[in-house]
Amino acid sequence: MERIESEQQYQDLINGDGLTVVKFDTSWCPDCKTLDKFMDGIMKENADKRFFALDAENFQPIAEENQVRGIPSLLVFRNGEKIAHLHSKYAKTPAQVSEYLTTLESKQ
């Protein structure tokens, strides 16, 4: 998963037409590492979405602006608008993440 390296890159990515999923994480988070173990399969199942990772500590203003209170959190954007937010306590298993991404189909 490509990592977002600047605020400008973040803005450019979330303002796209399609669905952009941004995983907010940190380098020290054990739950983030667990999520990473199964994200490749989920990304393949959801090839219609673009996936990126963003370090919530390095980009704290962006995390605060998006009300990211726990990590990992998966936020989904379309045309610059946050349309969904999977909070950390619900992003622990492949089934939880897959179900969340499936519910996005109704938001397109």
Side-chain angles (χ1 to χ4, degrees):
M1 183 179 313
E2 183 182 341
R3 197 154 274 289
I4 295 172
E5 301 293 340
S6 71
E7 187 168 344
Q8 185 60 54
Q9 180 189 15
Y10 164 78
Q11 290 297 332
D12 292 345
L13 292 169
I14 69 162
N15 281 298
D17 246 10
L19 297 178
T20 302
V21 181
V22 179
K23 175 180 66 110
F24 284 72
D25 63 9
T26 64
S27 60
W28 52 263
C29 165
D31 287 342
C32 300
K33 304 243 184 283
T34 300
L35 180 66
D36 287 343
K37 290 178 184 176
F38 59 81
M39 278 306 292
D40 282 345
I42 288 181
M43 290 183 335
K44 285 178 186 161
E45 291 170 8
N46 291 273
D48 59 324
K49 300 165 187 70
R50 300 178 312 154
F51 289 83
F52 299 91
L54 182 140
D55 189 301
E57 285 185 328
N58 291 343
F59 295 97
Q60 196 165 9
I62 294 173
E64 288 173 8
E65 169 186 313
N66 285 291
Q67 301 168 337
V68 174
R69 306 272 188 264
I71 51 171
S73 285
L74 295 176
L75 281 64
V76 183
F77 298 89
R78 184 179 54 229
N79 299 322
E81 179 185 347
K82 180 174 82 169
I83 62 167
H85 185 151
L86 182 65
H87 298 275
S88 58
K89 68 180 177 179
Y90 302 113
K92 302 225 186 268
T93 69
Q96 288 173 315
V97 175
S98 289
E99 182 179 328
Y100 165 70
L101 293 172
T102 300
T103 65
L104 296 174
E105 306 310 316
S106 64
K107 298 182 183 198
Q108 290 193 48

